mmCIF file of all heavy atoms in Angstrom:
data_model
loop_
_atom_site.group_PDB
_atom_site.id
_atom_site.type_symbol
_atom_site.label_atom_id
_atom_site.label_comp_id
_atom_site.label_asym_id
_atom_site.label_seq_id
_atom_site.Cartn_x
_atom_site.Cartn_y
_atom_site.Cartn_z
ATOM 1 N N LEU A 1450 89.008 54.210 96.311
ATOM 2 C CA LEU A 1450 89.245 55.548 96.396
ATOM 3 C C LEU A 1450 90.280 55.761 97.473
ATOM 4 O O LEU A 1450 90.185 55.156 98.503
ATOM 5 C CB LEU A 1450 87.891 56.341 96.697
ATOM 6 C CG LEU A 1450 87.874 57.802 96.279
ATOM 7 C CD1 LEU A 1450 87.845 57.808 94.749
ATOM 8 C CD2 LEU A 1450 86.672 58.441 96.815
ATOM 9 N N GLY A 1451 91.249 56.625 97.181
ATOM 10 C CA GLY A 1451 92.333 56.985 98.046
ATOM 11 C C GLY A 1451 92.749 58.489 97.928
ATOM 12 O O GLY A 1451 92.068 59.205 97.152
ATOM 13 N N THR A 1452 93.658 58.940 98.783
ATOM 14 C CA THR A 1452 94.158 60.290 98.544
ATOM 15 C C THR A 1452 95.642 60.209 98.243
ATOM 16 O O THR A 1452 96.324 59.276 98.727
ATOM 17 C CB THR A 1452 93.911 61.151 99.755
ATOM 18 O OG1 THR A 1452 94.621 60.647 100.879
ATOM 19 C CG2 THR A 1452 92.450 61.286 100.069
ATOM 20 N N GLU A 1453 96.179 61.030 97.472
ATOM 21 C CA GLU A 1453 97.565 60.987 97.094
ATOM 22 C C GLU A 1453 98.103 62.472 96.794
ATOM 23 O O GLU A 1453 97.345 63.413 96.723
ATOM 24 C CB GLU A 1453 97.789 60.209 95.711
ATOM 25 C CG GLU A 1453 98.595 59.015 95.715
ATOM 26 C CD GLU A 1453 99.859 59.056 96.458
ATOM 27 O OE1 GLU A 1453 100.358 60.074 97.002
ATOM 28 O OE2 GLU A 1453 100.405 57.882 96.529
ATOM 29 N N THR A 1454 99.323 62.580 96.459
ATOM 30 C CA THR A 1454 99.988 63.824 96.094
ATOM 31 C C THR A 1454 100.283 63.753 94.677
ATOM 32 O O THR A 1454 100.640 62.761 93.995
ATOM 33 C CB THR A 1454 101.403 63.911 96.779
ATOM 34 O OG1 THR A 1454 101.230 63.960 98.333
ATOM 35 C CG2 THR A 1454 102.140 65.152 96.261
ATOM 36 N N LEU A 1455 99.669 64.809 94.055
ATOM 37 C CA LEU A 1455 99.941 64.987 92.568
ATOM 38 C C LEU A 1455 100.942 66.114 92.324
ATOM 39 O O LEU A 1455 100.972 67.144 93.044
ATOM 40 C CB LEU A 1455 98.616 65.390 91.861
ATOM 41 C CG LEU A 1455 97.458 64.351 91.883
ATOM 42 C CD1 LEU A 1455 96.276 65.023 91.048
ATOM 43 C CD2 LEU A 1455 97.927 63.105 91.330
ATOM 44 N N THR A 1456 101.829 65.833 91.358
ATOM 45 C CA THR A 1456 102.904 66.873 91.085
ATOM 46 C C THR A 1456 102.590 67.369 89.642
ATOM 47 O O THR A 1456 102.432 66.596 88.718
ATOM 48 C CB THR A 1456 104.259 66.179 91.093
ATOM 49 O OG1 THR A 1456 104.372 65.758 92.453
ATOM 50 C CG2 THR A 1456 105.363 67.174 90.845
ATOM 51 N N PHE A 1457 102.690 68.676 89.580
ATOM 52 C CA PHE A 1457 102.527 69.382 88.252
ATOM 53 C C PHE A 1457 103.803 69.994 87.735
ATOM 54 O O PHE A 1457 104.548 70.473 88.695
ATOM 55 C CB PHE A 1457 101.463 70.566 88.399
ATOM 56 C CG PHE A 1457 100.097 70.194 88.888
ATOM 57 C CD1 PHE A 1457 99.872 69.810 90.196
ATOM 58 C CD2 PHE A 1457 99.064 70.149 88.035
ATOM 59 C CE1 PHE A 1457 98.640 69.426 90.685
ATOM 60 C CE2 PHE A 1457 97.741 69.749 88.476
ATOM 61 C CZ PHE A 1457 97.610 69.392 89.821
ATOM 62 N N GLY A 1458 103.999 70.119 86.455
ATOM 63 C CA GLY A 1458 105.076 70.691 85.936
ATOM 64 C C GLY A 1458 106.353 69.818 85.971
ATOM 65 O O GLY A 1458 106.351 68.654 86.276
ATOM 66 N N SER A 1459 107.550 70.417 85.678
ATOM 67 C CA SER A 1459 108.675 69.760 85.538
ATOM 68 C C SER A 1459 109.818 70.338 86.376
ATOM 69 O O SER A 1459 109.780 71.633 86.577
ATOM 70 C CB SER A 1459 109.072 69.594 83.998
ATOM 71 O OG SER A 1459 110.363 69.158 83.957
ATOM 72 N N SER A 1460 110.776 69.688 86.692
ATOM 73 C CA SER A 1460 111.993 70.254 87.381
ATOM 74 C C SER A 1460 113.087 70.443 86.309
ATOM 75 O O SER A 1460 114.342 70.680 86.688
ATOM 76 C CB SER A 1460 112.511 69.365 88.503
ATOM 77 O OG SER A 1460 111.526 69.219 89.466
ATOM 78 N N ALA A 1461 112.825 70.161 85.041
ATOM 79 C CA ALA A 1461 113.913 70.424 84.028
ATOM 80 C C ALA A 1461 114.336 71.821 83.932
ATOM 81 O O ALA A 1461 113.626 72.771 84.095
ATOM 82 C CB ALA A 1461 113.406 69.869 82.680
ATOM 83 N N PRO A 1462 115.587 72.065 83.531
ATOM 84 C CA PRO A 1462 116.111 73.499 83.390
ATOM 85 C C PRO A 1462 115.358 74.279 82.337
ATOM 86 O O PRO A 1462 114.975 73.691 81.272
ATOM 87 C CB PRO A 1462 117.526 73.240 82.924
ATOM 88 C CG PRO A 1462 117.966 71.800 83.406
ATOM 89 C CD PRO A 1462 116.707 71.038 83.349
ATOM 90 N N GLY A 1463 115.064 75.453 82.686
ATOM 91 C CA GLY A 1463 114.337 76.387 81.716
ATOM 92 C C GLY A 1463 112.885 76.244 81.863
ATOM 93 O O GLY A 1463 112.188 76.910 81.143
#
Side-chain angles (χ1 to χ4, degrees):
L1450 207 66
T1452 61
E1453 234 330 344
T1454 295
L1455 295 184
T1456 301
F1457 300 74
S1459 169
S1460 300

